[in-house]
Amino acid sequence: MRVELLEKILKKKDKIREYLQQNIEKINEEEIKSKWTAYNPNPKPIHHLAADGSFYQKSYLGFSLIVFAGYAENTNPNSENISSFTIGDIFPTVIKKTEHVKTLATLFMFLCEAKALLYLAKKEKPNFIIFDGTITSRFIIPFPLSNWFTDNEVESQINTIVNELFKENIEKIKETDLYFLRDDIIKSIFTKLESPRKDYIEATVSKFAYYEYLYTLYNIFKLEHKPLIIGLAKTSTGTDILNHSLPDIKLFLNYIDELGYSESVEQNLEKLKTSLGELQLIDDKIFSFLYELNIESFYAKYTLKNAINLVEVYQNPDFGTIKKEDILDYLADMDYLGYNYPFKLKKVDNEVRITSSDFEFIEKQFGLEFSITGREAL
């Protein structure tokens, strides 16, 4: 570090300490506690399924490479057998705006996670499904735009092709395959495009993946055996309950010692994601269901460890409201060895994680280990 920068940092030391100690705004401890209900969970086993995903992406000079996967694992307290399912793939792309590579990789990862979850849920019929992370984050991921891939105006043409292909294949998309990468889909895109350039094809494939993803989520929430579905997150930036600049989860962590749960906030997807309207062009039934999907979110502390999680619950209108106490009882039964979230999700995360050494191996298989990224010339 340069001495000039270090001197400036040290001069601001006291101000930064004050900021980090939260002295900027007045915190009313009693107000925070008034939003919290004490509850000591009674751990209860339940047949549950947890899912997670992983990706690794790297941009080279002129192209990017994305590797992605989803994994689901089923545990039934009445059986010693643990079943699982994995799905994943690789996607090379000439995407021009490389700042969107991570967004695209996240979409593909979410799709794999949803596909793995749906397949195993249909097979095992668990009573309790857990997403690692919030449910709402699955819906607010950006809609892929053609200008990520090309500066030419092809958005309208691509939208028309995607709409046609999705309607033609909607029943087949329920299959386990990642349909957006099937050879027959890519071949159809190739023949329908006026100019079948690589970047046009990839822009169309990515849009198709987005629709496939939303449709997979729709089928998860419409599972016939109607499981309890929650999302569980270790972090949150939400301020809806306490209305401070600091996130609610931070304030509850600092001022709440008791096990229990906070007040709830209702999340409606219509307020969170206006681009869901794109789906109305394909299937009004799916569009209406997703727009009316209501998610209840609250903060929970269900172990003696110093941790609070954000819990999002899909309140299925086909049966009564799920009590927070029941959810805490189930989560407390899964907690293990002091992890800040269920051991199940930690294990699932380990199973699906794509590491840097994994990607280095993949690079070698494709002869990319010495390919320049564009930074080497600096």
Side-chain angles (χ1 to χ4, degrees), residues 5 11 69 81 120 141 155 157 189 209 292 307 330 372:
L5 176 57
K11 283 180 181 178
N81 296 323
L120 205 56
I141 186 168
E155 190 80 20
Q157 179 192 167
I189 291 171
E292 293 168 4
Y330 299 140
I372 62 174

Side-chain angles (χ1 to χ4, degrees), residues 336-352:
Y336 182 67
L337 294 180
Y339 286 113
N340 293 338
Y341 52 105
F343 173 65
K344 167 63 73 175
L345 287 182
K346 179 66 177 175
K347 183 177 184 300
V348 169
D349 175 77
N350 288 337
E351 290 285 352
V352 75

Side-chain angles (χ1 to χ4, degrees), residues 173-191:
I173 291 170
K174 293 180 180 179
E175 297 172 6
T176 307
D177 285 352
L178 292 172
Y179 218 75
F180 76 102
L181 287 179
R182 284 175 58 113
D183 289 341
D184 54 341
I185 292 295
I186 295 174
K187 184 178 179 180
S188 294
I189 291 171
F190 186 91
T191 57

Side-chain angles (χ1 to χ4, degrees), residues 100 103-104 107 137 139-145 148 210 273 275:
H100 292 300
T103 303
L104 199 60
L107 169 62
S137 67
F139 290 96
I140 62 177
I141 186 168
F143 183 68
L145 300 173
W148 296 4
Y210 183 87
K273 182 147 181 79
S275 64

Side-chain angles (χ1 to χ4, degrees), residues 68-70 85-91 107-116 172-186 205 208-209 212-213 216:
F68 47 94
F85 184 74
T86 305
I87 187 170
D89 216 312
I90 187 168
F91 188 78
L107 169 62
F108 295 163
M109 176 191 72
F110 278 173
L111 173 56
C112 287
E113 180 183 342
K115 285 272 185 173
K172 298 176 185 176
I173 291 170
K174 293 180 180 179
E175 297 172 6
T176 307
D177 285 352
L178 292 172
Y179 218 75
F180 76 102
L181 287 179
R182 284 175 58 113
D183 289 341
D184 54 341
I185 292 295
I186 295 174
V205 164
F208 191 97
E212 181 178 356
Y213 170 59
T216 303

Side-chain angles (χ1 to χ4, degrees), residues 9-53:
I9 291 171
L10 292 176
K11 283 180 181 178
K12 291 188 173 182
K13 181 175 65 176
D14 291 339
K15 286 186 177 180
I16 298 297
R17 280 180 174 171
E18 181 182 1
Y19 180 89
L20 295 176
Q21 291 169 1
Q22 304 170 17
N23 292 333
I24 294 176
E25 57 185 292
K26 187 176 180 181
I27 304 295
N28 186 329
E29 186 174 346
E30 292 305 314
E31 178 190 2
I32 294 172
K33 291 182 175 180
S34 71
K35 307 288 186 179
W36 191 263
T37 299
Y39 175 70
N40 287 308
N42 177 29
K44 291 189 292 192
I46 189 172
H47 181 187
H48 61 278
L49 188 155
D52 199 3

